[in-house]
Amino acid sequence: MSARVLVVDDVLPNVKLLAAKLTREYFNVITAFNGPEALDLINREAPDIVLLDVMMPGMDGFEVCERIRSNPATMHIPVIMVTALSDVADRVRGLEAGADDFLTKPVNDIALFARVRSLVRLKMMMDEWRLRESTSGQFGVIERSGSLLNESYERARVLILEDSALDLEKVAETLERDHHEVLSSDSCAKALEQALNTELDLVVISLTLMNEDGLRLCSQLRSHERTRQVPILLMVDEGDLNHVAKGLDLGANDYVIKPIDRNEMLARARTQIRRKRYQERLRSNYEHSLSMALTDSLTGVFNRRYVNAHLPRLLERAIDSHKPVSVLMFDIDHFKVVNDSYGHSVGDEVLREVSARASRNLRTFDLVARLGGEEFVVILPDTDGEAALIVAERLRHRIAETPFAVSAEVGQINVTVSIGISVGGRLGDTAEGLIRRADDALYEAKRLGRNCVVADARAEIEG
């Protein structure tokens, strides 16, 4: 996973060491040597994550972090504080300032890379929800969601998986300070059952269980739709970085080291609960605003109006961040024959199923829209031409491989699609040009015999 990482430290060797490590892992690294320079770069370069030294002259890392969090344009950027300070009070101060984690020098590579990747994944998802809410706001039907730090962290429902009675009692008492409703379990099976039957705001999982593997529950929670977005906080023994890295890769959001410091536990829990509630507010605003105005009433996917508003903003972000955005334009082959042979009601059934198959085979932050008739568009953020070609071929195959069940006497019919690809993200690109190039590639796919994928020449070069 590639990302733009801002490394901030007033000591040049420290900057060079971190930059070299991250570059070897294929991250794009930019650097700053003091707080004001860092804030200026954040505003100009829009990094995906900030690695921030604490002890800097003038403006220290705590103040920099607080300024990042107080700015609505940057408050969602993950911040990892990297410092020689190792006292728990310093960690808590950093977390309360808005930091997502606190790594002690010399930085362990396993912890560093796992944390960066985990937080970048979170930011990608948050970026898409923020952009979609912003697009929806253009139509004047919602109010903005406000600040992440303004979200309440109290009165949450928290599930704890822990088989140590002493540790469970300490963690539960700590969380109850914020008036949380605390549920507990001593087995993965029981905890999963509770999670699937209860609306949770946070799950705390011990990785020091005597007879079970807490990572199993972590994996199970991420595999179920109902619990996929519930934040997970791991409790681990000091030095057990391999389990931490694995847990973050599986989708855990944060971790705390045993023996548990009460203030640190509260700070980390508050961060996760606030983030979940902020994300839920974004999603709720977005879904409410689009349910009527911006979705296609037949298929339930977006309509042309939404694409016309959203794609220019997405392309602008792609140009600013130097990350490509790809467009797939596709339509149903010989759709007129379907309508003429079986009637428009069967044609509507086919349109709905094509939309459903397209949506099921894309990432959660990709976008599917019906432009009209049998013509659809898929927008793929942060996707180059090579990856877009793989997605398009998979989509074409998933539609063609299984006949469509229909209400007509024949019972089922075969359906195929033709797909054209374009890629944007260069200075001067426009949404209209991106759509036009994808449409031209789609026309070429139909000329070549249909049921195939054709990439615009520029997409092939960039892929």
Side-chain angles (χ1 to χ4, degrees), residues 35-292:
E37 184 183 0
L39 293 172
D40 180 61
L41 274 174
I42 290 169
N43 289 322
R44 288 192 291 110
E45 299 290 337
D48 295 301
I49 190 167
V50 179
L51 301 185
L52 179 62
D53 183 36
V54 172
M55 304 301 291
M56 295 185 295
M59 184 187 299
D60 66 17
F62 297 121
E63 183 178 351
V64 174
C65 188
E66 288 169 349
R67 293 199 182 191
I68 292 172
R69 289 290 177 257
S70 65
N71 183 347
T74 63
M75 65 180 182
H76 63 297
I77 298 176
V79 176
I80 298 177
M81 288 191 166
V82 183
T83 177
L85 300 175
S86 58
D87 189 76
V88 172
D90 293 314
R91 281 208 305 273
V92 172
R93 183 183 174 191
L95 294 168
E96 290 177 343
D100 294 273
D101 206 353
F102 203 97
L103 299 181
T104 304
K105 299 176 183 177
V107 177
N108 180 280
D109 290 355
I110 295 175
L112 172 65
F113 299 141
R115 205 68 181 101
V116 168
R117 292 188 179 100
S118 171
L119 289 170
V120 167
R121 282 195 300 269
L122 176 67
K123 180 179 178 291
M124 287 179 63
M125 180 175 63
M126 193 72 76
D127 277 349
E128 186 59 24
W129 282 117
R130 283 166 55 85
L131 186 61
R132 290 186 181 187
E133 188 207 35
S134 177
T135 301
S136 304
Q138 289 182 258
F139 300 97
V141 293
I142 63 170
E143 296 181 0
R144 293 295 177 87
S145 293
S147 167
L148 175 63
L149 293 180
N150 289 336
E151 290 294 334
S152 168
Y153 57 77
E154 296 181 318
R155 303 189 185 281
R157 184 177 287 124
V158 183
L159 172 63
I160 305 172
L161 172 62
E162 176 61 84
D163 60 5
S164 165
L166 289 176
D167 286 348
L168 174 60
E169 181 181 8
K170 181 176 182 179
V171 174
E173 287 180 354
T174 299
L175 294 173
E176 286 168 354
R177 292 182 184 180
D178 283 339
H179 309 289
H180 299 320
E181 177 186 347
V182 177
L183 310 175
S184 65
S185 176
D186 59 2
S187 74
C188 292
K190 181 181 175 183
L192 179 61
E193 182 181 0
Q194 288 175 290
L196 293 175
N197 291 287
T198 310
E199 290 292 335
L200 296 173
D201 296 290
L202 177 66
V203 178
V204 180
I205 300 176
S206 172
L207 298 189
T208 62
L209 302 174
M210 292 295 294
N211 300 312
E212 297 198 55
D213 183 0
L215 291 179
R216 179 68 58 190
L217 177 61
C218 185
S219 173
Q220 291 170 331
L221 292 173
R222 289 296 175 254
S223 68
H224 288 276
E225 181 66 29
R226 182 177 177 85
T227 56
R228 190 162 292 156
Q229 304 302 327
V230 178
I232 298 173
L233 177 61
L234 304 177
M235 297 187 293
V236 301
D237 281 336
E238 187 171 6
D240 193 7
L241 295 178
N242 287 325
H243 275 88
V244 168
K246 186 65 174 177
L248 294 173
D249 285 342
L250 288 172
N253 300 80
D254 200 1
Y255 64 95
V256 61
I257 304 295
K258 289 187 174 184
I260 302 298
D261 177 82
R262 293 182 186 273
N263 291 328
E264 182 176 358
M265 168 62 79
L266 279 176
R268 292 186 184 274
R270 288 170 180 174
T271 295
Q272 297 308 318
I273 293 166
R274 276 181 170 139
R275 184 173 286 135
K276 177 179 183 288
R277 289 175 173 174
Y278 178 70
Q279 184 177 324
E280 286 175 343
R281 190 182 300 276
L282 287 174
R283 184 184 293 112
S284 176
N285 278 350
Y286 161 76
E287 290 174 350
H288 174 72
S289 67
L290 300 187
S291 59
M292 296 296 294

